[in-house]
Amino acid sequence: MRTRADIRPRRGSRIDMAAAEGGGGGGGGARPDTTVQRAELGPLLATALKPGESWYLVDSRWFKQWKKYVGFDSWDMFGVGDPGLFPGPIDNSGLFGDPETQSLKEHLIDELDYVLVPTEAWNKLVTWYGCIDGQQPIVRKVVEYGLFVKHYKVEVYLLELKLCESSDPDSVISCHFSKADTVATIEKEMRKLFNIPAEKETRLWNRYMSNTYEQLSKLDSTVQDAGLYQGQVVLIEVKNEDGTWPGQHFLAKSSTATSRNFTTSSKSSASSYSSVSATSVITNGDSSNSYGLNSSHLGRGGSGFVCNSYNCRDSASLSQPGLCGLSNLGNTCFMNSALQCLSNTPPLTDYFLEDKYEAEINQNNPLGMRGEIAEAYAELIKQIWSGRQSHVAPRMFKTQVGRFAPQFSGYQQQDSQELLAFLLDGLHEDLNRVKKKPYLELKDANGRLDSEVAKEAWENHRLRNDSIIVDIFHGLFKSTLVCPKCSKVSVTFDPFCYLTLPLPLRRDRLMEVTLVYADPQHRPVQYWVVVPMMGAISDLCESLFKLSGVPAENMVVTDVYNHRFHKIFQMDEGLNHIMPKDDIFVYEVCKPSEDGSEYVTLSVYFREKTMRQSSNTSGTVLFGQPLLISVPKHKLTVDHLYSVVLEQISRYVKLPLAEEYSTPCPDKGTCNGSNGVVEGDIEEMEHQDGGQEGKEKLAEVDPCHSEGCMQIESARDLQPCKKQHFTFSLVNSSGTSEISSIVEGKILKLNAFSALAIDWDSDTRRLLFDEQEAQAFEKHGSMLQPQKKKAVVALRDCIELFTTMETLGEHDPWYCPNCKKHQQATKKFDLWSLPRILVVHLKRFSYSRYWRDKLDTVVEFPIRGLNMSEFVCDPRAGSYVYDLIAVSNHYGAMGVGHYTAYAKNKVNDKWYYFDDSSVSVASEDQIVTKAAYVLFYQRRNSEEHTAPSPPQEECDGMDTN
C-alpha cells in the first residue's frame, strides 16, 4: 500500500484553496512588552515532556513571526517590536488539510511545519494574541513508548479505527484514539455509538486481514500494546439471549474466502493465546465447517505473543519457499522492504531455518532484547520459507520491534535503512555469544604497522562482539586523521556493518516559479528555471530574465502562502532557504524612473469582511493572490493607491460599464469625501513630464526599465465620482491584524514592503471579482519541454567519493593530542576488510536547517562481478568480488512515498519483485533504477577471511573501547 502519492498539486493550489482568517481574532488581551514575553515563554518552551500532559501545535510560520517580533533569538533582534512584524492572532490554518473539519495535513514535520508548546505557554499566547475565529486548538497528549528505555513524545497523529457491530460489519464508523488509550476506552466508545446497554455482555475483535480476527480480551491493554494499526476494523459482538455468541455469523458474513481464522485469548492465562482456525470445506455445493485448535508461543521471552497469526491464506495451494509477500499494516512498506532483503540473504536465513539460533540466544545481554527480537524474526522467516503462504501479516514481529524501538512503534512512514540498522543490531545483541563483555583499552597506532593495529582492533572487537551478524555482515574501516598544525597522524580501525556512500551532489537545481508581470492584463506565467544548487536569489532572477526578458533588477522574489507573503527575499539570500514545496512567485516591480523619484514597494492583501456568528461582530478572511505595487512616496494617498490597485486588478475585477466610461470628477479632492490636495499631485506629475504638454500627459504611461511595465500615473488616476468598491487598512505582514486605519487625503508615511489590506464586502466580491480569471495562469515553454536526462553516477564514483580525503568542518573538529586543542584536521576513510554480505546504503536523503531533499540520481551498480579489491587497502587481502542478491527501493519524496524490494531467490536463482503482499517475477534489466536505496551483495568465495568483519557505531551502539 502506497502512502501519499508522489504528486505535487499544481503550483499555487495552497493559495487558491486555503482560507486564512484575519483581523481581530478571538481572544487577545493586554500584552506585556516583548522582553517580558521572551522571559516568560523561554523556560516554558524548554519544559521536558511528561506522560499524560497536553501540548499544543502552533503553525511554525506564525511562531517564527512571533519570535521575530519579540526578538526570541539573540541573533535576530533587529525587528523587535516592529508593528509590521506583529504576528496577529494565532493562525493554524496552514496545518489543516481540510479547513472545514480542521483535520491535519498528512506528513507534517515537527519544527518544519509546526512547533509544540506546553499548556501554560499556549494559554499565555492565547491571552496575548488570541486565535483566529472558528479555529479549534490542536491539543495532543504526551505518550510513553518503549519497554526498557522509556521514550516520551507528543502524539501528533491519532490512530483512526473503523468501528462496527458484528451483526453489520460493512457499516463502519471512523473514530480516533490515542495509542495510550486502553481497549476498555474503545469498548466504552463503541457501547455509546451502537447503543449497547451496560448490562449486555460484549466481546471485541480486531480484523487485520479480510478474513482474520483476534479477540481483544485484555481491556487494560493500550492501543499500542494490542497492536492496533491505522484504519484497522474493530468489531463489537453482543452475547445472545440464549448465552451463545454470534461469532460464526459475522465470520461467515465478512468474507467469502475459503480460509478463516480468528484468535481468542485463553481464560486460564493472561499471557497465553490460542488460535482457532475455521476452514470452510465445500463439497458438491454443501458447506461444512471443521475446527482445529492449536497454540503457539514465542517461548523464551515469556511475552506470549501470537505467532500463528501470520497464517492468512488457503494452505491447500503451496508456493515456492521464500516467495511470500508481507501485508502492509499501515505505512509498513519500509519494514517489508528491509525484511525481504534480509530474508533473501542466504547465510542468515539458513542459520534461522536450521534452528542454529536456538543455542545462541543471549537472554541476559543488557544491550539485547531478551532474545525476543531473534525469536520473532525466526518465526517470521520460517513462515516466509514454509512454502505454505503466498503472503503473511508480520503484525507480531512489528509489535516486538515497536516495544524495543519506540520510533518504529507507530504507523508513520519510516526509513528502511534505519529499520535495517536496528534489526541487525538487535539480532546481534540477542545472539551475541559473549556473555560477559571484557573492558578493553583503546590503543593508539603510535607508528605501528597497519596490519598489526588492524589485527589488534579486530580481535578486541571479537572479544566483545561475536555473533552470526558479526560473522556475516561486519567489516573494518581504516580512519586516518592528520593535524594541519603539527602534522600529527592518527590511525584507527573501526568496525562497520554497512557502508553508507555519499552521492555526488548535483551542481544545479530545477525550480518552479510563477512570474507576475507588471502589465495588469498579462496573466501570470509559470516557468521551470535552472539555478545553482548553492546559488543566491539573484541567480534565480538572472535565470528567469533569460527566459522572460524581464530585467532581473525589476524582480522581487516571494514565498506566497495562504494568500499572503510568507517571505520576501533579498537578492543576496541563499536559494537553500527555498524548499521544494514552497510556492515561489516573482513579481515584476517598476524601479524609479530617470527623474529620481523615490518609490516605495507595498504588499497588498485581499480581505473579505464577514460577520461572526458567535459575537455578531465583523471579521475578515484573506483571499486571492497578493499584489506588490511600487508607488512614488509623494503619491502615497488613498485616492492614488485606489487607482493603482484598481488598475492592477482590472483583468479580473470587472466594473459595470457605466462606471468604466463615466466622466471623471472635475475636482478629485472632493471625490468620496477626500480632502486630498489635487494641485500638489498635478504639479508633481507635470514635473515628471518635464513640464511639456502639461495635464494632457496625465493619461499616459511613463517609461520603465521593462516593456509593458505600468507606472502608477495611469488613466485610473482620474476616478469617476462613484462609491469605492474596497477600503484600505494598514496591517501586519501576515495580514491578520490591523496596525492602524488609513487617513484619506494625507500623504501616507509607509516603509518598503509595508502591508496594506483592501477590504471587500461579500456582495461586492461576488459581483465584481472573477475568481476563475484571478487564478488563471499560463505555462511557459520551459514547463512543457522534457527535462534533460539526469546524469548517471557509477557505484564506484560513490565509493571513490567516500574514500576521498576531506577537511573537517569548523563545528566538527578533532582534538589533537599533540597540540592539546581542537583542530580542523584532514580525514580519510579506507576499507581494510569487507564482510561476506556487503550492505551498501546510498545516502539519498539530505538534511539541513532549511533543506530536506531526496537525490534521485540514477546510480549504476553491477548485478554481478562487483570487484571491491581495488578499494581494500590491506595488501594481504584476498579477492573481494561480489554478486547482487537484493535491493531495497524507495519511490517518491522524503518522508512519503513507497518502499519495495528486488531479491534473488536462493532456491532457483531467479529475481523477484516484492511489493508488500505481492510477489512477481523480475528480470535483471529492471533492477537498476533511481529508486535503488540499499544494496545487498554476497561475496563469491565464501571462505572465512582472516581480516576483520565488524559492527558500526550507530548500527549496534557497541562500545569498542
Side-chain angles (χ1 to χ4, degrees):
M1 180 183 89
R2 280 171 171 74
T3 55
R4 187 169 67 179
D6 185 34
I7 299 172
R8 288 178 58 201
R10 92 169 160 76
R11 188 64 74 149
S13 60
R14 288 187 296 177
I15 297 159
D16 302 331
M17 296 175 354
E21 293 193 11
R31 275 181 303 277
D33 65 29
T34 56
T35 306
V36 174
Q37 291 185 47
R38 286 199 309 269
E40 290 192 15
L41 252 65
L44 294 177
L45 296 175
T47 305
L49 298 177
K50 294 179 182 176
E53 286 185 343
S54 295
W55 284 60
Y56 290 77
L57 274 71
V58 179
D59 190 310
S60 63
R61 294 176 187 245
W62 184 92
F63 194 72
K64 286 175 184 173
Q65 186 85 350
W66 172 79
K67 288 172 73 176
K68 280 180 175 291
Y69 179 66
V70 302
F72 191 82
D73 297 312
S74 58
W75 48 266
D76 193 10
M77 300 288 287
F78 65 90
V80 175
D82 183 346
L85 293 176
F86 182 71
I90 298 171
D91 183 5
N92 282 335
S93 55
L95 303 180
F96 299 136
D98 181 353
E100 293 297 320
T101 62
Q102 297 189 10
S103 58
L104 289 184
K105 290 177 181 175
E106 293 182 3
H107 311 297
L108 294 175
I109 301 172
D110 188 14
E111 298 295 338
L112 191 66
D113 300 304
Y114 64 85
V115 293
L116 292 160
V117 300
T119 300
E120 190 178 349
W122 169 262
N123 290 339
K124 286 181 182 291
L125 288 172
V126 171
T127 301
W128 298 338
Y129 295 95
C131 292
I132 291 291
D133 275 338
Q135 279 189 17
Q136 297 301 314
I138 309 172
V139 58
R140 294 293 188 265
K141 293 283 187 185
V142 177
V143 295
E144 183 179 270
Y145 291 77
L147 186 64
F148 301 119
V149 180
K150 297 303 180 186
H151 176 77
Y152 306 119
K153 68 178 179 181
V154 177
E155 187 179 28
V156 173
Y157 289 96
L158 299 175
L159 199 67
E160 181 187 20
L161 299 178
K162 299 183 184 300
L163 311 180
C164 63
E165 294 180 279
S166 62
S167 57
D168 188 11
D170 295 325
S171 298
V172 298
I173 299 174
S174 291
C175 283
H176 290 84
F177 295 93
S178 165
K179 297 180 187 71
D181 284 338
T182 62
V183 174
T185 306
I186 301 174
E187 184 191 38
K188 183 179 178 182
E189 184 66 22
M190 294 182 79
R191 280 183 178 272
K192 191 194 307 179
L193 283 172
F194 301 117
N195 298 314
I196 300 171
E199 65 272 10
K200 289 279 190 181
E201 194 175 342
T202 59
R203 300 194 296 194
L204 261 58
W205 300 82
N206 65 340
R207 186 172 78 200
Y208 55 88
M209 295 293 293
S210 62
N211 57 348
T212 305
Y213 294 83
E214 181 179 76
Q215 188 184 350
L216 298 169
S217 59
K218 296 178 68 177
L219 296 182
D220 59 343
S221 286
T222 63
V223 167
Q224 177 177 298
D225 290 341
L228 299 178
Y229 58 85
Q230 179 73 13
Q232 185 160 26
V233 175
V234 176
L235 298 93
I236 190 165
E237 181 187 18
V238 183
K239 199 170 192 177
N240 296 325
E241 295 295 337
D242 61 3
T244 62
W245 292 97
Q248 180 120 5
H249 167 67
F250 74 80
L251 277 173
K253 239 181 123 174
S254 66
S255 175
T256 56
T258 56
S259 171
R260 305 185 184 94
N261 60 64
F262 57 93
T263 308
T264 180
S265 67
S266 165
K267 294 190 178 177
S268 61
S269 169
S271 64
S272 66
Y273 291 75
S274 50
S275 175
V276 181
S277 174
T279 306
S280 200
V281 183
I282 301 175
T283 312
N284 295 328
D286 295 326
S287 175
S288 62
N289 292 307
S290 60
Y291 294 87
L293 182 68
N294 59 72
S295 178
S296 175
H297 308 285
L298 286 182
R300 294 180 197 281
S303 63
F305 279 92
V306 185
C307 286
N308 56 0
S309 61
Y310 292 124
N311 297 309
C312 61
R313 71 173 292 277
D314 187 358
S315 58
S317 60
L318 299 178
S319 63
Q320 168 79 35
L323 303 187
C324 178
L326 296 172
S327 300
N328 193 310
L329 306 176
N331 285 343
T332 56
C333 55
F334 74 96
M335 179 180 76
N336 295 344
S337 173
L339 286 172
Q340 292 292 7
C341 291
L342 280 179
S343 170
N344 286 279
T345 301
L348 185 64
T349 293
D350 290 344
Y351 171 85
F352 282 100
L353 291 179
E354 294 166 11
D355 290 333
K356 293 179 180 177
Y357 71 96
E358 290 185 344
E360 296 186 342
I361 283 188
N362 187 340
Q363 294 185 43
N364 302 315
N365 185 351
L367 297 178
M369 289 149 229
R370 302 190 309 215
E372 293 181 29
I373 288 293
E375 289 276 9
Y377 181 77
E379 182 69 30
L380 179 57
I381 288 297
K382 289 174 181 178
Q383 292 284 331
I384 291 173
W385 287 88
S386 68
R388 291 194 297 271
Q389 285 89 26
S390 65
H391 62 274
V392 299
R395 293 181 67 250
M396 292 310 158
F397 175 79
K398 184 190 181 304
T399 300
Q400 289 289 60
V401 168
R403 293 172 70 223
F404 296 100
Q407 66 269 35
F408 300 117
S409 62
Y411 291 89
Q412 295 289 98
Q413 181 66 282
Q414 301 286 348
D415 188 308
S416 66
Q417 184 269 331
E418 290 177 5
L419 184 278
L420 184 67
F422 162 77
L423 193 50
L424 288 174
D425 174 37
L427 290 174
H428 161 68
E429 294 294 4
D430 269 5
L431 300 168
N432 197 346
R433 301 167 189 127
V434 178
K435 305 304 180 187
K436 188 175 180 181
K437 295 188 178 186
Y439 173 78
L440 300 169
E441 286 269 351
L442 187 65
K443 296 178 183 176
D444 194 70
N446 283 331
R448 292 182 292 163
L449 293 174
D450 282 352
S451 56
E452 181 185 342
V453 181
K455 182 172 181 289
E456 178 182 83
W458 181 247
E459 288 174 350
N460 286 346
H461 177 58
R462 292 303 293 251
L463 286 173
R464 292 173 58 85
N465 305 283
D466 184 15
S467 71
I468 183 66
I469 302 301
V470 176
D471 297 342
I472 296 173
F473 291 97
H474 286 202
L476 205 63
F477 283 137
K478 176 188 175 184
S479 174
T480 307
L481 286 155
V482 180
C483 178
K485 300 297 182 186
C486 69
S487 300
K488 159 74 177 174
V489 178
S490 172
V491 176
T492 56
F493 290 83
D494 302 296
F496 68 89
C497 67
Y498 56 82
L499 283 181
T500 294
L501 299 183
L503 273 62
L505 282 175
R506 296 172 298 194
R507 289 189 173 86
D508 53 36
R509 168 186 174 194
L510 201 59
M511 288 182 63
E512 183 182 312
V513 301
T514 302
L515 177 60
V516 181
Y517 288 86
D519 178 359
Q521 301 307 314
H522 199 316
R523 284 180 172 178
V525 179
Q526 281 187 343
Y527 291 84
W528 275 119
V529 292
V530 178
V531 295
M533 180 63 77
M534 302 308 292
I537 295 294
S538 56
D539 296 310
L540 166 60
C541 295
E542 285 298 330
S543 296
L544 189 54
F545 159 68
K546 292 174 184 175
L547 295 175
S548 67
V550 173
E553 63 267 22
N554 287 0
M555 295 180 186
V556 177
V557 180
T558 70
D559 174 7
V560 176
Y561 179 76
N562 272 352
H563 315 284
R564 69 196 73 174
F565 294 116
H566 171 58
K567 184 169 177 59
I568 297 176
F569 295 95
Q570 301 297 318
M571 282 294 185
D572 59 352
E573 285 191 76
L575 290 173
N576 60 344
H577 289 69
I578 298 177
M579 289 179 288
K581 69 175 184 177
D582 291 339
D583 288 315
I584 301 303
F585 285 77
V586 180
Y587 287 78
E588 179 187 7
V589 177
C590 290
K591 298 300 177 184
S593 52
E594 292 178 4
D595 66 0
S597 299
E598 189 178 354
Y599 278 66
V600 61
T601 300
L602 305 173
S603 306
V604 179
Y605 298 145
F606 293 83
R607 300 196 305 184
E608 180 183 342
K609 289 178 283 192
T610 59
M611 289 299 294
R612 299 195 185 102
Q613 301 289 332
S614 55
S615 57
N616 220 19
T617 57
S618 62
T620 56
V621 178
L622 288 168
F623 71 95
Q625 170 76 30
L627 303 175
L628 277 183
I629 58 172
S630 190
V631 185
K633 274 199 170 182
H634 67 274
K635 304 287 287 181
L636 280 175
T637 64
V638 172
D639 285 345
H640 195 69
L641 286 173
Y642 184 87
S643 67
V644 173
V645 171
L646 206 55
E647 180 74 44
Q648 287 297 311
I649 63 179
S650 59
R651 178 171 54 85
Y652 46 89
V653 173
K654 302 300 182 186
L655 300 181
L657 284 175
E659 281 192 45
E660 287 281 1
Y661 301 108
S662 59
T663 308
C665 290
D667 180 5
K668 193 175 176 185
T670 61
C671 192
N672 300 315
S674 169
N675 296 318
V677 183
V678 179
E679 291 78 7
D681 290 354
I682 293 173
E683 281 177 13
E684 289 295 332
M685 283 187 266
E686 285 177 341
H687 175 70
Q688 286 183 2
D689 293 331
Q692 301 170 13
E693 300 181 35
K695 298 178 185 177
E696 283 132 18
K697 293 282 286 183
L698 283 175
E700 294 188 12
V701 178
D702 274 357
C704 183
H705 284 113
S706 53
E707 187 179 346
C709 182
M710 299 295 289
Q711 293 277 10
I712 53 77
E713 290 81 14
S714 67
R716 294 270 180 181
D717 282 341
L718 298 177
Q719 277 300 305
C721 291
K722 294 289 180 182
K723 172 180 176 287
Q724 289 194 342
H725 299 291
F726 51 81
T727 56
F728 288 97
S729 301
L730 185 62
V731 294
N732 64 347
S733 60
S734 299
T736 55
S737 180
E738 291 187 14
I739 296 174
S740 65
S741 57
I742 299 291
V743 180
E744 294 191 21
K746 295 184 179 179
I747 299 292
L748 304 173
K749 294 180 180 179
L750 299 176
N751 299 321
F753 298 110
S754 290
L756 297 174
I758 53 175
D759 296 324
W760 300 67
D761 63 57
S762 300
D763 291 338
T764 306
R765 176 185 173 184
R766 187 174 62 255
L767 286 171
L768 303 183
F769 199 89
D770 185 339
E771 305 278 355
Q772 190 170 352
E773 181 58 32
Q775 296 177 19
F777 63 94
E778 296 171 358
K779 287 182 180 287
H780 182 258
S782 59
M783 299 287 294
L784 308 175
Q785 293 171 359
Q787 302 303 325
K788 63 180 181 181
K789 198 171 181 182
K790 295 182 184 293
V792 175
V793 173
L795 183 61
R796 66 175 297 112
D797 296 333
C798 301
I799 300 169
E800 287 173 354
L801 188 59
F802 174 78
T803 56
T804 300
M805 184 182 294
E806 62 175 353
T807 301
L808 297 177
E810 59 180 312
H811 301 297
D812 185 30
W814 168 67
Y815 183 80
C816 175
N818 275 7
C819 300
K820 306 294 184 188
K821 61 186 290 190
H822 287 90
Q823 303 283 9
Q824 284 182 252
T826 59
K827 185 173 185 177
K828 187 179 190 307
F829 276 126
D830 289 294
L831 302 174
W832 183 263
S833 72
L834 298 177
R836 288 170 63 189
I837 300 296
L838 178 63
V839 180
V840 176
H841 165 222
L842 300 175
K843 195 175 179 183
R844 291 195 177 277
F845 300 115
S846 57
Y847 306 81
S848 74
R849 182 177 175 187
Y850 300 104
W851 184 261
R852 303 184 183 202
D853 192 23
K854 180 189 175 187
L855 303 174
D856 56 1
T857 309
V858 175
V859 177
E860 287 194 335
F861 50 89
I863 305 296
R864 59 179 64 83
L866 171 66
N867 193 341
M868 294 291 292
S869 303
E870 63 178 294
F871 298 107
V872 175
C873 62
D874 180 3
R876 299 179 302 171
S879 173
Y880 284 102
V881 179
Y882 290 86
D883 296 319
L884 190 72
I885 55 171
V887 179
S888 174
N889 302 304
H890 177 266
Y891 301 92
M894 194 185 81
V896 293
H898 185 59
Y899 286 92
T900 65
Y902 287 108
K904 188 177 182 181
N905 184 270
K906 69 186 182 73
V907 177
N908 61 14
D909 279 343
K910 291 182 180 177
W911 281 93
Y912 294 89
Y913 183 61
F914 296 85
D915 185 353
D916 287 335
S917 57
S918 169
V919 182
S920 55
V921 176
S923 59
E924 289 187 0
D925 58 4
Q926 296 175 298
I927 295 170
V928 180
T929 70
K930 68 178 182 180
Y933 182 42
V934 184
L935 315 177
F936 284 67
Y937 279 97
Q938 183 171 19
R939 191 177 177 186
R940 278 188 180 171
N941 52 348
S942 58
E943 65 214 37
E944 296 293 331
H945 32 291
T946 54
S949 159
Q952 107 309 7
E953 297 94 338
E954 57 225 87
C955 170
D956 51 40
M958 286 177 258
D959 178 9
T960 53
N961 289 337

